[in-house]
Amino acid sequence: GRQVPLPRTTHSHRPLPVLPMAFSAADTIQKRAAGLRRPRSLNAAVALLVPAIVLAAATQWLLSPCSPKEISFTGGLRAVGDLRSAVGGAARRRGCTVREAVGLFYATQTGNTETAAGVIAEQAGVEATDVGDIGVEDLAGYDGLIVGCPTWNTDADEYRSGTAWDDLLDEVKGADLAGKPVAVFGCGDSQGYGDNFCDGIEELHETFAAAGAKMVGYVDAGGYQHQASKSVRGDKFLGLPLDEDNENDMTEERVASWVAQIKGEGMPL
């Protein structure tokens, strides 16, 4: 077939045409000129421009105000996590703080506290994470915290959970969590260990209070069958007690009521 000569290129200082026009022109040339390839220079330019434009626009948008934003990419990009990590680092260098809304952290011995954390996560719309997978410095990156533990070392004065929390308590006390809302939950056995029911709640409560947190989520102690607990102050537990061994049929209702309560007390759910 007859070959159609390609348009001559001229050098100028005018801005590059917008990408849709560039693609349209290139496609027209390709259709009219059988056997000819799209100029490599255009392919190279497009390959370099598209990711550069996306990254620059996203970075500028995220860094302009120092406030949380919801990120939505209709293109289904796989690199969202990497982008947010890179932007987070840039934000910290510019004095901004990248925060998540609420962190839910637990530790478990038999699996009961993990089960309870899963129920809370579903009701609150957050993700439950084993506290052994994070560092204390990560806690400051949240606007609110929900933390939970079992009571394993019964009647102990300290390190009652027998979990990863025991390795973090002293460090948490020295953290700066001033004004951050924190709610505590715990699992216990009101029949087998009724004299020390959910003692671990009090230890977590005092730990985060020492770091300056605003403690929320106290629960009326009258609705439980225990004998005694270090976690009761006055007529209230210092958090949400759950008994997966004897009253697991009440967990859903108790959690739903508690999540609504802490939300009303300032937890940013």
Side-chain angles (χ1 to χ4, degrees), residues 47-84:
L48 292 173
L49 282 173
V50 171
I53 291 172
V54 170
L55 180 60
T59 303
Q60 179 66 27
W61 176 71
L62 283 168
L63 292 184
S64 52
C66 298
S67 61
K69 284 185 170 66
E70 294 183 1
I71 302 176
S72 177
F73 290 94
T74 57
L77 297 178
R78 293 176 178 266
V80 171
D82 293 338
L83 176 60
R84 292 191 68 180

Side-chain angles (χ1 to χ4, degrees), residues 206-221:
E206 295 304 294
T207 295
F208 281 89
K214 173 190 174 184
M215 305 308 298
V216 300
Y218 296 0
V219 173
D220 189 344

Side-chain angles (χ1 to χ4, degrees), residues 15 112 144 151 250:
N112 283 347
T151 298
M250 302 178 70

Side-chain angles (χ1 to χ4, degrees), residues 70-239:
E70 294 183 1
I71 302 176
S72 177
F73 290 94
T74 57
L77 297 178
R78 293 176 178 266
V80 171
D82 293 338
L83 176 60
R84 292 191 68 180
S85 177
V87 171
R92 286 188 290 273
R93 288 192 293 273
R94 292 180 54 159
C96 300
T97 302
V98 177
R99 293 185 181 275
E100 301 287 347
V102 174
L104 168 54
F105 301 103
Y106 70 91
T108 190
Q109 274 281 0
T110 64
N112 283 347
T113 311
E114 181 177 11
T115 299
V119 177
I120 294 171
E122 183 178 356
Q123 295 275 4
V126 298
E127 182 179 354
T129 302
D130 190 317
V131 74
D133 294 336
I134 68 163
V136 171
E137 66 278 4
D138 298 317
L139 298 176
Y142 293 86
D143 294 322
L145 296 167
I146 301 173
V147 295
C149 70
T151 298
W152 191 256
N153 299 320
T154 55
D155 203 30
D157 290 330
E158 58 183 4
Y159 309 125
R160 297 170 192 163
S161 75
T163 68
W165 277 117
D166 294 349
D167 299 325
L168 300 174
L169 295 177
D170 293 334
E171 192 176 350
V172 171
K173 290 176 184 177
D176 181 8
L177 303 176
K180 193 183 301 294
V182 174
V184 182
F185 71 96
C187 284
D189 181 347
S190 62
Q191 302 303 312
Y193 299 93
D195 292 333
N196 302 102
F197 181 58
C198 289
D199 282 357
I201 288 178
E202 189 267 349
E203 186 170 31
L204 274 189
H205 176 279
E206 295 304 294
T207 295
F208 281 89
K214 173 190 174 184
M215 305 308 298
V216 300
Y218 296 0
V219 173
D220 189 344
Y224 295 85
Q225 304 303 313
H226 67 292
Q227 300 301 313
S229 175
K230 291 181 174 65
S231 298
V232 173
R233 187 168 296 171
D235 60 353
K236 291 185 180 296
F237 277 101
L238 300 174

